[in-house]
Amino acid sequence: MNVVVVGSGIAGLTAALHAHDRGHAVTIVTKGALGGGCTPLAQGGVAGCYGPGDSPAQHAADTLAAGAGLADPEAVAVLTADASARILDLVARGVRFDRAADGGLQRGREAAHAFARVVHAGGDATGAEISRALVQEVRRAGIAVVEDALLQEIDVRRGVCAGIVALVGGRPREIPADAVVLATGGAGAVYARTTNPAGSTGDGIAAALRAGAAVADLEFVQFHPTVLDAPGTAFLVSEAVRGDGAVLMDADGRRFLAESHPDAELAPRDVVARAIVRQAAAQGSPVRLDATALGAELLARRFPTIDRVTRARGFDWSREPIPVTPAAHYLMGGVTTDLDGRTSIPGLLAVGEVARTGIHGANRLASNSLLEGAVFGARAAAALDVPAPAMPTVPPGPAASEAGTEAGAADHRSAPAFTRAALQELMWRHAGLLRTREGLAVAERTLRAWSRGAPDPGTVREHEDANLLLVALAMVTAARSRPDSVGAHHLEPEPALIGV
């Protein structure tokens, strides 16, 4: 079988390697260089290394609790049951996880985990190490790779996926396939502040929407609570820092998270992020992450990347608390799949952040994202050998055309001029961490007006802008269709806080 894997993060590389091992002819199509995207930026680690007292069942319970009641128990059970095997598979493929004194894998703890079960590499360079090892395996296996290729369309013929069309060197190129595995990541670039690279423009989700694939849960966007609040590219300060004992302080040097959740700094991410935004707004200055009690030696050894970057930006975090703020980090929803990555279009599979498996619900548990890519990348490869069953039964999310008639009536001539920056600011202000019904309606009217006035894309950037616009509209209409706050979808009664 000819298999095209679109994307080369942990999900795509895992799917490609497992499909190759099963005898399929695999081609990896990737937007930038092989091994790019979000995976190399991941700091924390991979959940699923169970120590004394811990178990897959406890990991599943933590995942379900973080998901605010909307995670799929069956999908979560699959994720946690497969976790240990997938971690061992990464070790076998050359990933050099950090080791404890007894030679076993070193485990860290992160927010909303009951136990220390997160394995890491290079202290806080887990994603980079995983990417290095898997890219090396792909090259060793001789798997075909097409780099600098933007996914343009999914080729659907008679209701079945027959390949893709990609922009390679600025020109459309048809790449036929018996099966396509989407592993294109999320859409962080839809927001003005994000931990994602600039290329996270929702290309896979947009192509799936255009092809008619079911999507769900696009209203659930996770904002990482602690991004360095300083000039320059957004830089994430791993949740593992708080797991090791760092605390969040207000302007008076007082811890404030316990007022929002009994687990304080180790509460679910949506809780921590909202508390930070509210506190920063109340005091008129950033909150600060205080890791000074950990000491300079431990910080440099356990978090070498963060230590280097914070010092390069003028902070000595071993001596002073550092300013932090939330930023868009992870999309919990995406293309609807079953437990083997199959979508509503036969021959099209989706894995990783582009997929909606149901494991995250309304809020992702820390360090389940790399695990998701490893688990479902392998399962999708195995599914290639099995005749496709009935379509997924998970109901699709609202289509971009389903929300209110009031928003749909917008006239593009009265909307502000479209630019990527304008879209990002609009989404940050009205469809970000804190939302209002009125703000979401404004966002939808503006996005629909921009869509009506948009020219046909030609260049790579124009295609990216079209994808951002389509995905943003789908996210906003999904948010408008969910009337109550849950998890990362939070409707704020005080519009004055929006945009802080």
Side-chain angles (χ1 to χ4, degrees):
M1 179 182 290
N2 290 318
V3 179
V4 168
V5 176
V6 189
S8 63
I10 186 172
L13 294 175
T14 298
L17 286 165
H18 279 260
H20 176 269
D21 291 346
R22 290 174 171 274
H24 299 293
V26 179
T27 300
I28 297 173
V29 177
T30 186
K31 188 172 184 178
L34 184 67
C38 290
T39 292
L41 303 178
Q43 296 175 355
V46 186
C49 183
Y50 307 116
D54 198 6
S55 66
Q58 181 60 58
H59 185 183
D62 293 345
T63 300
L64 291 168
L70 294 185
D72 176 1
E74 185 179 2
V76 171
V78 165
L79 177 81
T80 57
D82 287 0
S84 294
R86 295 286 69 83
I87 289 172
L88 292 176
D89 181 50
L90 289 170
V91 173
R93 293 189 186 275
V95 177
R96 300 177 296 226
F97 288 116
D98 296 333
R99 298 280 176 169
D102 62 3
L105 295 177
Q106 192 176 81
R107 297 186 300 271
R109 186 181 177 190
E110 296 188 14
H113 287 272
F115 291 87
R117 62 167 70 102
V118 179
V119 294
H120 46 80
D124 58 0
T126 309
E129 169 58 16
I130 289 172
S131 183
R132 179 205 63 78
L134 296 186
V135 166
Q136 181 173 291
E137 286 289 285
V138 164
R139 297 203 185 281
R140 182 180 293 126
I143 295 173
V145 178
V146 180
E147 296 181 302
D148 298 316
L150 172 72
L151 174 65
Q152 184 176 355
E153 301 293 344
I154 297 165
D155 186 5
V156 179
R157 302 183 183 184
R158 299 185 179 88
V160 176
C161 179
I164 65 168
V165 178
L167 284 179
V168 184
R171 295 177 178 275
R173 174 176 164 185
E174 294 185 7
I175 305 177
D178 300 305
V180 170
V181 180
L182 287 181
T184 51
V190 81
Y191 289 102
R193 305 177 196 171
T194 179
T195 64
N196 292 181
S200 294
T201 50
D203 307 325
I205 296 170
L209 283 168
R210 288 191 290 267
V215 300
D217 292 350
L218 292 178
E219 66 271 35
F220 296 126
V221 180
Q222 185 168 82
F223 289 75
H224 197 286
T226 52
V227 172
L228 188 64
D229 193 353
T233 304
F235 179 74
L236 185 149
V237 180
S238 173
E239 196 161 78
V241 178
R242 282 177 281 131
D244 278 6
V247 295
L248 288 158
M249 314 289 281
D250 65 15
D252 297 322
R254 181 185 64 89
R255 293 177 66 182
F256 60 91
L257 254 299
E259 299 169 6
S260 299
H261 196 281
D263 291 335
E265 283 82 6
L266 297 184
R269 283 180 172 174
D270 63 310
V271 174
V272 178
R274 286 195 295 271
I276 289 173
V277 164
R278 290 194 176 99
Q279 183 60 43
Q283 67 189 31
S285 62
V287 306
R288 293 184 179 267
L289 180 69
D290 187 354
T292 56
L294 278 64
E297 187 277 330
L298 187 150
L299 290 173
R301 171 171 49 82
R302 176 68 176 87
F303 306 106
T305 306
I306 302 172
D307 189 69
R308 184 183 70 252
V309 173
T310 54
R311 290 179 184 278
R313 297 194 183 184
F315 300 99
D316 181 353
W317 71 328
S318 70
R319 293 178 177 272
E320 60 180 337
I322 57 175
V324 292
T325 186
H329 184 56
Y330 193 90
L331 180 61
M332 272 81 77
V335 183
T336 307
T337 73
D338 66 8
L339 298 182
D340 296 304
R342 299 185 185 93
T343 74
S344 59
I345 298 176
L348 178 67
L349 299 89
V351 292
E353 191 176 357
V354 71
R356 188 276 187 193
T357 62
I359 62 173
H360 303 306
N363 184 49
R364 176 175 68 83
L365 182 66
S367 288
N368 271 353
S369 54
L370 291 175
L371 177 62
E372 176 188 18
V375 167
F376 288 96
R379 292 180 70 89
L384 296 171
D385 299 332
V386 182
M391 291 299 100
T393 56
V394 176
S401 61
E402 287 182 359
T405 56
E406 172 199 357
D411 183 344
H412 74 270
R413 292 169 297 182
S414 63
F418 171 82
T419 64
R420 182 179 298 194
L423 181 147
Q424 291 167 333
E425 289 294 339
L426 178 81
M427 291 295 289
W428 180 262
R429 182 171 182 82
H430 294 303
L433 181 60
L434 303 176
R435 304 167 177 179
T436 65
R437 292 180 178 85
E438 296 81 4
L440 289 169
V442 169
E444 189 178 352
R445 284 196 297 270
T446 305
L447 291 167
R448 287 193 183 279
W450 282 340
S451 297
R452 287 188 176 86
D456 292 335
T459 67
V460 167
R461 184 173 178 85
E462 288 169 349
H463 278 281
E464 288 181 333
D465 285 346
N467 291 340
L468 286 169
L469 188 53
L470 177 58
V471 173
L473 183 54
M475 291 166 68
V476 168
T477 57
R480 291 196 74 207
S481 74
R482 187 174 293 278
D484 299 316
S485 295
V486 58
H489 172 64
H490 184 81
L491 293 168
E492 183 70 22
E494 297 294 336
L497 285 178
I498 304 300
V500 298

